[in-house]
Amino acid sequence: AIYDAKVMTRGDSMTTFAAWSLDSTRVMIEPRRGHRKKLFLVFTTKCQACLHNLPNWNQLTKDVSSDKVSLIGLCQDSLFRFHQFQQKNETHFPVYSIVNDTIVQWKYKFQLYPQTVLTDSLGKVLKVWAGALTDSSMDAIRNSVVDRATP
């Protein structure tokens, strides 16, 4: 049941996994690659809270520096269903389907939607926001992606 679902917690680690791009190409998602933090936007097209989060996630693409963080959408639905969804709902971030990979869904606890997962450049989870984002959640995300360790 959904109330039993858990999400990742601070310190959990993400490693490379496969997903499908919108043009049906298999791609490798590499949370540990590069020097940027990653913000994973996990959703399904059938979820009202996910629809509520879309404008917030789209806003984050404008609010956060792409030099500091990569925004990556992970959709639990088939590419066909996502294409139908995208005809009515715009996304300003790259989206990949993980529908065929139940191992990824369980390993990274992607059973509760929506989730916004922030990792550092080594794939370690820094914070997870589960459910619809509020104004205070959005502020917390913006503050979390700012690099404070400037020597």
Side-chain angles (χ1 to χ4, degrees):
I2 194 73
Y3 53 84
D4 291 332
K6 296 188 181 351
V7 296
M8 290 188 294
T9 58
R10 184 176 180 84
D12 286 349
S13 187
M14 293 181 70
T15 57
T16 300
F17 59 92
W20 295 95
S21 68
L22 293 181
D23 66 357
S24 301
T25 303
R26 187 171 184 253
V27 297
M28 300 309 289
I29 307 294
E30 300 179 280
R32 295 180 175 183
R33 187 172 192 184
H35 299 289
R36 292 180 282 185
K37 294 177 181 177
K38 312 291 186 300
L39 198 57
F40 292 96
L41 315 170
V42 185
F43 68 103
T44 176
T45 61
K46 299 168 242 164
C47 152
Q48 287 302 310
C50 298
L51 277 174
H52 173 79
N53 271 5
L54 272 182
N56 290 326
W57 286 339
N58 284 335
Q59 185 62 43
L60 286 172
T61 65
K62 298 173 187 173
D63 293 349
V64 300
S65 168
S66 60
D67 295 343
K68 305 251 186 237
V69 65
S70 298
L71 280 79
I72 302 165
L74 298 175
C75 183
Q76 167 56 33
D77 296 303
S78 68
L79 293 176
F80 175 77
R81 188 178 303 262
F82 181 73
H83 279 292
Q84 288 180 318
F85 173 83
Q86 201 170 37
Q87 289 175 4
K88 296 178 184 173
N89 303 280
E90 211 173 344
T91 55
H92 299 168
F93 47 89
V95 176
Y96 303 94
S97 174
I98 56 171
V99 70
N100 294 323
D101 197 337
T102 54
I103 292 172
V104 164
Q105 295 164 21
W106 285 100
K107 182 176 181 181
Y108 300 127
K109 301 176 185 169
F110 293 157
Q111 297 93 41
L112 178 64
Y113 305 103
Q115 285 186 48
T116 307
V117 179
L118 178 66
T119 66
D120 66 13
S121 61
L122 301 175
K124 294 273 188 211
V125 173
L126 299 173
K127 177 82 175 153
V128 177
W129 292 268
L133 296 174
T134 62
D135 289 342
S136 63
S137 301
M138 289 290 289
D139 289 341
I141 292 168
R142 288 183 199 101
N143 290 334
S144 295
V145 298
V146 173
D147 236 343
R148 290 185 181 83
T150 310

